[in-house]
Amino acid sequence: MMLRTRLALAFALFAAVPLAAALWPVSHALSGALSTEHAARLDGAARALDGELARLAREAGTAVDELARSADAEALARELGTGALAPADAAPRAREWMEARGLDVLAVAEPDGRVVSSGHLPGRAGDVDAEVAALLATPPSRAAPHRVMRAGPDGVEPVLALVAWAPVPGDPLRVAGGLALGPERAARLAALTGGAIAIRAPDGALLADAAAPGSPASGGAPDLADRLSARLGALGTPVRSLALGPPDAPVATVEVRLASAGLARARLVVVATFLAALVAGVLAAAAVGAFLASRVTRPVEALRAAALRVAAGDLGARVEARATGEVAELVRAFNAMTADLAASRARLAQAERVAAWREVARRLAHEIKNPLTPIAMSVETLRDAHARARPDFGEIFDEGTRAIGEEVRRLKRIVDEFSRFARLPAPERTPVAPDELVQSVLALFPSAPAGVVVAREVEAGLPAVLADRDQVVQVLLNLVRNALDAMPGGGTLRVAARGEGSAVAFSVSDTGPGVRPEDRPRVFEPYFTTKEGGTGLGLAIAQRIAEEHGGTLELRSAPGEGATFTLTLPAVS
Ligand code: ADP
C-alpha cells in the first residue's frame, strides 16, 4: 500500500475512535430516553385499562345487586312461589330486565343452576345450566371474569363477561348477570388507552379486538415499526397484558399495544445521525490526512521512482519535486549522488575503451608479426639463392614467392576483418519479426552439411524486436557457422527463439565438443581463436552488435555437451 494511502487511513482511524467515543453516548442516551418515554406511556395505558376493568366489574356487581333487591325480582319470586305465574310466562322477564339495566348477560336461576329466565340465552329456561350452577357455587362477591355462552345473530357463541350474582332476599331465587367484554367494550378500552386492545382466551385465541385511530393493528403480528424497534433494542416489549381471573387459572388476558412506529423512526433518525456524523468525520479526516500526506509523500514517491530508474541503469534520473526540510536535503543528496555516479561511470567507460583498444592493438601487432617472419625468411632465402646463382633457383623462387603470397593474403584478411571490427556502423533499428530473422539465417544454408540435423524452434506469437536486420543476421550467421565448425562429423544444430519478459531470446546450440572451461571467459575477446586460419573476431563483433542493440550475448557450455550461444534483444513494447 502506498505511503499516502496508509497515512490517510491512519488519520481516518485516529478520527474515528474519539468521534465514536463522543457521539455514541449521546445517541445512546437519546435513544434510551425515547424508549423510557414509550415504556411510561405503555404503563399509563395498562393502568387506565386496569382501572376501567375494575370500574366495569363494580358497575356489573352493583346492577346485579340492585336487581336482586328490586321490587321486580321480589314480585317474580312471589308470583312463582304462589303459582300465579307459569314458568313459561316467567321466561321473557330476564331479557326485559337485562335491556332495562344495561347488562349484557342476565339469568334468574334456582340455587342448583336451573334457569328460570335467561336474557342472553332464552332457550336455557327450564334447564340446569352448568355455567350458572358453577357460578352460584362461588360466594356472591365482586364481579369476576367468566366465559359465557350467549345467543348472538350468528348462533350461540362464547363471550368474556364480568359476571356477579346476588340472592333475591327472602327467596331461593338468584340473579346472575354481568357486562360482556365484546367488540364494543374493546373499542371503548382502545379509545380510552389510545392503543390497540386484544382480548384473548388462555390458549391465545382472539375473543375481541379493537384499535384506536393511529394505533397499530390490534392483536395481529407486530408491524414493521415494532420489529425495527425490537431489533434496535432497549425498547422493551411493545405490549402490556393483564390476566383476568384467578392467577393460577386465568380466564383471559387483555393486551394493550401502543403505536411505536414514531418511536422507531425517532430511534432510526438518532442512529442514522450518529452514523452520518461518524462517516462525515472519518471522511474529512481521511481527506485532510491525504492532503498532508501528499505534501510529504510526493517528493518521497519521486525519489522512489528515480531510485528505481537508477537501479535499472538510468543514471540521468533526477528528482524535480519540491520539498522542504530533511526531505529537501535528501532530494539534493540523491541528485548529487546520481550526477557523480554518471560522471564516474563515463570516466570508467572511457578508461575501459582505451584499455580495450590497447589490447586490440597489441593483438593485432602480434597477428601481423606472425606472417612477417616467414615473409622475411623467404625473401632472405631468395636473395641468398640468387647471389649464389644456385641451379635450383627456379624451384626456390617458386616456393618462396608462393609462401610470401600466402602470408600476404593472410595479412590482408587480418586487416580486412580488423577494419570491419573497427568501423562497425551504428545499428539502424527497425521492428523485425523474430521468425523472419531465423528464417533469413537458415535460408543461407539451403542444404545442411552431411550428418547435420537442423531443428528450428520458434515460439508462436512472439513480439517483434527492435534491431538492425543485417547486423543481427550477421551475428546469428556467425553463431551458426561456429556451431557447424564444431560438428565436422555431424550432429544436431538447433536454432530457437522464445519470449523472455519484454525481450526475445535467440539461441543457437550444437552437439559438438563444447568450449573448454578455461577458454569460456576468452571466446568473446578479439583474436581469440582455436581454429586453424580463424581470426577470433567473429564473437567479439557479435557481442559488440548485441550490446549496441541494448541486448546481451551469452555462452552456456559444458564439455562434451555442446555449446549454446543466446542472443537476447529487447522486444518492441
Ligand atoms: P573464429 O571462428 O574465427 O575462431 P570466433 O570469435 O567466432 O572466431 O570464435 C572464437 C573461438 O570460440 C573459436 O575459435 C572456438 O574456439 C570458440 N567457439 C566458438 N563457437 C564455438 C562452438 N559452437 N563450439 C565450440 N567452440 C566454439
Side-chain angles (χ1 to χ4, degrees), residues 518-538:
E518 60 269 32
D519 289 345
R520 240 176 271 157
R522 307 187 57 205
V523 291
F524 296 110
E525 285 179 7
Y527 300 108
F528 173 79
T529 181
T530 56
K531 294 178 197 166
E532 183 70 25
T535 62
L537 282 175

Side-chain angles (χ1 to χ4, degrees), residues 126-217:
D127 296 340
V128 171
D129 186 321
E131 283 174 5
V132 176
L135 176 69
L136 296 182
T138 62
S141 61
R142 290 181 51 202
H146 282 272
R147 287 186 71 184
V148 177
M149 299 308 286
R150 170 167 85 159
D154 303 327
V156 177
E157 59 190 13
V159 67
L160 182 71
L162 297 168
V163 182
W165 73 273
V168 177
D171 196 273
L173 274 190
R174 270 100 171 93
V175 175
L179 297 170
L181 296 179
E184 310 85 40
R185 278 226 166 70
R188 282 246 308 278
L189 291 173
L192 185 73
T193 55
I197 296 292
I199 302 172
R200 294 181 189 280
D203 63 1
L206 191 63
L207 298 174
D209 66 344
S215 70

Side-chain angles (χ1 to χ4, degrees), residues 366-448:
H366 177 76
E367 291 297 315
I368 290 172
K369 226 157 77 190
N370 278 350
L372 289 183
T373 311
I375 288 173
M377 275 170 60
S378 297
V379 170
E380 207 50 46
T381 310
L382 278 176
R383 282 177 64 88
D384 185 55
H386 186 257
R388 291 189 195 182
R390 280 177 59 165
D392 57 351
F393 179 75
E395 267 172 54
I396 295 171
F397 179 81
D398 203 36
E399 201 176 302
T401 49
R402 201 172 43 243
I404 290 170
E406 225 166 69
E407 295 304 327
V408 166
R409 272 195 297 285
R410 198 168 141 202
L411 270 174
K412 187 174 179 310
R413 205 174 63 241
I414 288 170
V415 171
D416 281 353
E417 284 279 334
F418 174 75
S419 49
R420 214 149 65 85
F421 175 68
R423 256 194 274 121
L424 196 62
E428 280 176 25
R429 294 196 272 172
T430 51
V432 193
D435 190 30
E436 190 197 323
L437 285 170
V438 172
Q439 186 56 37
S440 313
V441 173
L442 291 182
L444 297 170
F445 301 90
S447 56

Side-chain angles (χ1 to χ4, degrees), residues 6 16-17 55 73 103 110 121 185 205 224 273 303 329 438 460 560:
R6 282 210 301 270
V17 174
R55 196 189 65 72
L103 291 169
E110 291 172 4
L121 203 57
R185 278 226 166 70
L224 179 67
T273 310
L303 269 169
E329 274 174 37
V438 172

Side-chain angles (χ1 to χ4, degrees), residues 14 53 74 78 92 111 144 152 158 160 173 198 220 278 287-288 316 399 431 462 486:
F14 280 128
L53 287 173
E74 191 203 341
R78 191 167 12 90
L160 182 71
L173 274 190
L278 190 64
V288 169
E399 201 176 302
L462 283 177

